[in-house]
Structure formats: structure tokens, C-alpha cells
């Protein structure tokens, strides 16, 4: 009679399967996590209407390597642009068609770090014959 009332022996839980599941979850979250920092890049909106002839043009070209070139085709640095351009006016950046987005963002951030408060982005020129463009 004691054999009928005896509780069956409990089977021990194997931790091997639990460790496998935890390892798979850990790998999933490590591989799908993104550690990038997203930041906004502030650009000055272009003025509407036509540009007057007597307005100073503060145009700088940006190559695919991140080099700045002035309208005359001379390679310049951001600190040299501070000497040439007026900081109160907006600087127009015209990127090369092959310029990658990160290089463009780095160039804009370089100009802002140099002291330019207003940076405007212009559409790349379609022809490569523009002075300083593509050099």
C-alpha cells in the first residue's frame, strides 16, 4: 500500500538548455544593438528670391575628400576662410557630386567649429567646369 501513495521522484531540471537560450538571447541583443550617436546638423535656410549683384558671395566647394576649395580653385582651410569671409554672413557649401554624406557633415561641422554661425548647403553643380569644382 505504501507503493501506491508514494510520490514519484522529481526529475532534476537540466541547466544546459537554459544556458543555451540565455546565450542566444545575449548574442541577439549584442548584434542588433546600435551604439551610434545621432545628432542633428543645423543648416541655414536659403533666402527666397534673387540674390542681389552687390551681395558678397561666400561660396566654398567641398571635394569628395573633405577639402575646401574657394571660387578661384584654391584649396583653403577653415581658418583661412575665417580671414577671407565675413562670419556674420552665411557661407554656402557646394559639395562635389561624389562627396559622401559623412564627409559633407564633417565639413559643415568643421565650418561651424571654426566660427561660422550660418552655413547653407547648395545643390551640387551639374557641370564639372565650374572654377574650383572637382579639383
Amino acid at each position: 500500500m505504501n507503493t501506491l501513495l508514494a510520490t514519484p521522484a522529481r526529475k532534476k531540471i537540466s541547466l544546459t538548455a537554459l544556458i543555451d537560450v540565455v546565450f542566444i538571447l545575449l548574442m541577439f541583443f549584442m548584434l542588433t544593438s546600435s551604439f551610434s550617436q545621432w545628432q542633428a546638423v543645423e543648416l541655414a535656410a536659403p533666402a527666397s528670391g534673387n540674390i542681389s549683384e552687390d551681395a558678397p558671395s561666400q561660396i566654398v566647394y567641398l571635394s569628395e575628400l573633405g577639402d575646401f576649395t574657394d571660387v578661384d580653385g584654391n584649396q583653403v582651410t577653415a581658418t583661412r576662410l575665417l580671414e577671407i569671409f565675413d562670419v556674420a554672413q552665411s557661407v554656402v557649401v557646394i559639395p562635389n557630386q561624389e562627396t559622401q554624406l559623412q564627409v559633407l557633415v564633417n565639413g559643415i561641422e568643421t565650418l561651424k567649429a571654426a566660427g561660422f554661425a550660418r552655413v547653407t548647403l547648395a545643390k551640387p553643380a551639374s557641370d564639372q567646369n565650374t572654377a574650383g569644382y572637382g579639383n
Side-chain angles (χ1 to χ4, degrees), residues 19-45:
I19 291 172
D20 288 344
V21 170
V22 170
F23 179 71
I24 290 171
L25 286 173
L26 179 69
M27 291 299 294
F28 172 77
F29 287 117
M30 284 176 55
L31 294 175
T32 58
S33 297
S34 175
F35 297 105
S36 301
Q37 293 182 357
W38 294 91
Q39 294 179 341
V41 177
E42 291 189 28
L43 295 173

Side-chain angles (χ1 to χ4, degrees), residues 43-44 46 91-95 104 108 119-123:
L43 295 173
V91 175
V92 179
V93 177
I94 302 176
L104 178 62
I108 292 171
V119 179
T120 303
L121 182 63
K123 183 177 174 182

Side-chain angles (χ1 to χ4, degrees), residues 55-92:
S57 61
Q58 297 194 134
I59 299 173
V60 64
Y61 297 98
L62 184 67
S63 72
E64 63 270 4
L65 300 175
D67 301 325
F68 294 112
T69 308
D70 63 4
V71 178
D72 297 327
N74 301 322
Q75 189 171 353
V76 292
T77 62
T79 53
R80 175 72 178 126
L81 289 174
L82 280 173
E83 299 170 5
I84 302 170
F85 292 159
D86 182 14
V87 181
Q89 296 289 328
S90 178
V91 175
V92 179

